[in-house]
Amino acid sequence: MELRGMELRGYQREAAAPALSGRNSIVWLPTGAGKTRVAVHVCRQHLESRRGGKVAVLVNKVHLVDQHTEKEFHVLQDTFEVASISGDTSHKTFFADLVRKSDVVICTAQILQNALVSAEEDVHVELTDFSLLVIDECHHTHKDAVYNKIMLRYLQRKLRGEQGLPQVLGLTASPGTGGATSFEAVEHILQICANLDTEKITSVQDELQHLQSHVPQPKKQYDLCQERPQDPFGEQLKKMMVQIQQFMEKPDFSREFGTQIYEQRIVQLEKRAAEMFCRKTRVCALHLRKYNDALLINDTVRMVDAFQCLQQFYSSERDKKDPTEQFLTTTFEENRVRLQALAGNHRYENPRLAKLEGILREHFQPLGTSRGIVFTKTRQSAHSLLSWLQSTATLRGQHIRAAVLTGAGYSNQTRHMTQNEQQDVIKQFRQGALNLLFSTSVAEEGLDIPECNIVVRYGLMTNEIAMMQARGRARAENSVYSVLAKANTREVTRELLNEDLVELMKRAIQAVQAMPEQEYFQKIQELQRVAVTSWLLKEARISERRQLHQASAVQLYCINCSRAVCRGSDIRTVEGVHHVNVNPQFGSYYKVSSGKIQFQRTFKDWEPGCRISCKDCSQDWGMEMLYRQVKLPILCIKSFVVETPAEKRRYKKWGAVTFPIEAFDYVEYCSGTYSLSL
């Protein structure tokens, strides 16, 4: 069959065969081999061969919605209604209507999940409204991921014997091994297949040479550097940390400064101290975590970046009346001049940067057409690397036009990029206006970024999936994939392990493909029964836990100064998501900052107001919202200690609390607060 304007290559046809015959399958093809094109082909044939067919294409990142629509699925628009919708689009409130009118809906998985559970007629849809589900980057269909929540609903109905469920097509370049380092990897692949109700996982076998000629593999090299011979800046920070631990009266606490292990321990200590209302320990732990961050930054990028991180932290508003804060601020001030002088001494600069400078000089020749991505762990280090590049004289004349690409999620550590900013950077990179990106993992997966001839993994420790995804960005002829790391460290051993895990994954997939059909289907059904049962059990437990305590018996305290500020019975949910305090007295406990919080998108019934913080100690508590002209404070659960009759505890999410929270009743609130008679 001729595919208008998008003929499939031989190896793509081979991978698409089971899906084209209507079977549930996973298409496993390397990055750059055209998985999305296979999906478009399957969608067209599916819609042409059945009346009333309807396709949902699910992605796990917002920016992939527009990319799929504009780059691949637009070819279906000559015959079919194609609609795209993401968290950034306002018409998601009429999702059901959009689904009714369209043949193909491209959306983030979360939007479909919200619609499946919604009771609103304008929003609610059923899985049976679709005849085909396409799941992009389908290796994320596990545990509590949104893809899996959708598929558990699907499996529950399948096991009940319901008819009319959609065909499922999963796409992935890297199913991974699920943390297994032995033949348990086969179990992991079977679990992914069970979660996606897959009849067949397909890869290229007959057309392998054809595939390899179209998807060249980069040359991999290890660019190793040594430790700093001397690190007086880091040593000074460690001395200050010892001083703080002595002041905290915990001189024997871990001394593994500058490591992830120390970070985990200090986070645990801070949590315990908050729950025990031990303010001194908690505040010291928060500061020690910042020092540890500075050591990690010092290890990754420049001393000056680490110094600025601390400088910024100490310049933010804090409770000046608190003796612990006074001691910690004084400690920093006493050492500030010395730290600044050490940070400016280039004799002690990071050897990683000299190594990166060499790589960039080699690949970015004047008048050259090089294009590259440097992957780094944090947003902070991506920004620091750009700043380093701009201040490195030897790289200025190299015609490097660089920018940062990081995630769009909110972070209080570093400024996040908006979706529009992300798309703008990617567009400029595609068109050649930019030729180098300093990126976090956001660019590893799914993003349609043009072929790079140099990809650098800068001091990263990740799993084999991230390694394969990043490597897949180096697609130009004779491209190089560089692992820049310190010699004899876990970064290197992890990368070597990843190479073994990729081979293990391939063998595990082949083992699953070779299983006798009856044995395979038995195994899949067994895994599905277990998955659905444990999901239902978990849901029941959550409902039970929600009823453990009466809301009126629960007290919330400010996490910083331990002042009791409200009861659980003062809390309501707005739109099922935002937790607000409806007690009119609550306003006397907080102060409001000037300047509204800006969001990139608009919301149907509310808009964000200003930040709110504790009147006594300036601890950030959340923000005000203007909901249908009513001002309500939204509380961030992390800013409070919750006391129930059983215990004092800190929560990361409102969903985990052990008391019921009623929905906000707008009419009742207005009647009570403003004495309105209806």
Side-chain angles (χ1 to χ4, degrees), residues 28 223 277 341 508 514 518 567 669:
W28 170 46
D223 290 299
F277 292 165
Q518 196 183 352
R567 296 212 163 268
Y669 180 81

Side-chain angles (χ1 to χ4, degrees), residues 184-378:
E184 290 156 15
V186 173
E187 284 294 314
H188 169 73
I189 301 295
L190 282 168
Q191 187 68 63
I192 295 268
C193 289
N195 295 350
L196 287 154
D197 197 31
T198 301
E199 292 173 55
K200 202 159 177 54
I201 179 165
T202 65
S203 55
V204 176
Q205 284 156 359
D206 301 342
E207 296 272 354
L208 199 54
Q209 276 185 307
H210 185 200
L211 168 67
Q212 285 162 348
S213 68
H214 277 283
V215 188
Q217 286 296 304
K219 172 177 148 275
K220 182 168 186 173
Q221 62 187 43
Y222 283 84
D223 290 299
L224 304 180
C225 60
Q226 299 304 316
E227 289 275 4
R228 280 186 176 95
Q230 289 176 289
D231 182 16
F233 176 81
E235 293 308 317
Q236 187 64 22
L237 291 183
K238 287 174 186 174
K239 277 184 201 160
M240 293 163 76
M241 290 171 86
V242 169
Q243 220 179 323
I244 295 169
Q245 287 188 176
Q246 281 166 341
F247 172 79
M248 190 169 67
E249 292 161 43
K250 290 200 184 300
D252 300 330
F253 189 73
S254 166
R255 298 251 173 135
E256 293 176 84
F257 303 136
T259 64
Q260 298 295 333
I261 293 166
Y262 185 83
E263 180 173 338
Q264 285 160 10
R265 292 196 176 145
I266 207 75
V267 166
Q268 276 304 107
L269 179 69
E270 190 261 330
K271 181 175 184 286
R272 283 199 310 274
E275 290 167 351
M276 291 164 68
F277 292 165
C278 183
R279 185 173 181 180
K280 180 179 176 179
T281 304
R282 182 183 164 269
V283 172
C284 286
L286 282 173
H287 286 244
L288 283 166
R289 185 178 179 186
K290 210 61 190 173
Y291 277 91
N292 199 59
D293 282 350
L295 282 170
L296 290 166
I297 293 166
N298 181 48
D299 184 51
T300 310
V301 275
R302 300 171 299 179
M303 297 177 284
V304 67
D305 301 309
F307 177 71
Q308 278 166 359
C309 151
L310 284 173
Q311 177 107 310
Q312 218 175 338
F313 177 70
Y314 279 99
S315 64
S316 63
E317 191 187 346
R318 51 191 70 251
D319 185 1
K320 299 202 172 64
K321 303 189 297 289
D322 179 43
T324 308
E325 290 280 10
Q326 287 169 358
F327 167 80
L328 294 163
T329 305
T330 306
T331 303
F332 178 71
E333 287 304 329
E334 285 170 353
N335 286 275
R336 184 211 295 269
V337 176
R338 176 160 166 70
L339 285 171
Q340 196 161 10
L342 288 169
N345 189 332
H346 295 299
R347 271 174 53 204
Y348 309 121
E349 211 36 280
N350 197 332
R352 286 186 204 263
L353 293 167
K355 192 58 93 171
L356 182 59
E357 183 186 334
I359 295 167
L360 295 179
R361 282 178 68 177
E362 180 190 343
H363 285 277
F364 287 86
Q365 300 299 332
L367 307 174
T369 54
S370 277
R371 200 170 280 185
I373 304 179
V374 176
F375 284 108
T376 181
K377 189 177 175 191
T378 64

Side-chain angles (χ1 to χ4, degrees), residues 587-650:
S588 63
Y589 290 99
Y590 68 83
K591 54 187 177 184
V592 180
S593 66
S594 58
K596 277 188 175 181
I597 294 171
Q598 297 298 321
F599 284 121
Q600 195 193 349
R601 47 189 264 226
T602 54
F603 303 90
K604 188 180 165 192
D605 287 323
W606 70 279
E607 57 183 82
C610 303
R611 287 218 155 279
I612 62 169
S613 55
C614 176
K615 216 172 218 173
D616 282 5
C617 73
S618 305
Q619 168 68 39
D620 186 21
W621 279 359
M623 68 174 190
E624 283 187 325
M625 79 182 322
L626 195 62
Y627 180 73
R628 295 180 182 166
Q629 309 309 305
V630 173
K631 247 186 204 172
L632 296 166
I634 301 182
L635 303 187
C636 170
I637 187 74
K638 288 181 186 173
S639 300
F640 300 91
V641 172
V642 178
E643 184 182 36
T644 66
E647 61 178 354
K648 288 193 184 85
R649 239 190 97 180
R650 244 180 102 170

Side-chain angles (χ1 to χ4, degrees), residues 496-559:
L496 293 167
L497 172 64
N498 285 344
E499 289 175 21
D500 293 340
L501 291 180
V502 169
E503 291 311 309
L504 178 65
M505 178 191 81
K506 288 176 183 171
R507 291 203 304 278
I509 292 171
Q510 283 157 1
V512 169
Q513 288 171 330
M515 277 174 88
E517 203 164 271
Q518 196 183 352
E519 184 193 336
Y520 172 80
F521 283 120
Q522 267 179 334
K523 185 78 184 153
I524 291 297
Q525 201 156 27
E526 183 190 321
L527 287 168
Q528 289 176 341
R529 284 203 191 98
V530 170
V532 171
T533 307
S534 59
W535 171 56
L536 292 172
L537 192 64
K538 192 176 171 186
E539 293 292 302
R541 288 241 169 93
I542 290 169
S543 306
E544 275 172 30
R545 197 178 59 207
R546 261 285 154 98
Q547 306 301 324
L548 277 175
H549 301 108
Q550 287 185 338
S552 56
V554 174
Q555 185 91 46
L556 271 71
Y557 298 84
C558 171
I559 192 159

Side-chain angles (χ1 to χ4, degrees), residues 84-111:
S84 62
I85 181 167
S86 70
D88 277 11
T89 22
S90 48
H91 54 258
K92 66 179 178 185
T93 40
F94 307 108
F95 186 67
D97 197 37
L98 190 81
V99 169
R100 248 191 319 277
K101 290 176 182 163
S102 310
D103 301 305
V104 180
V105 177
I106 303 168
C107 65
T108 44
Q110 190 62 57
I111 288 194

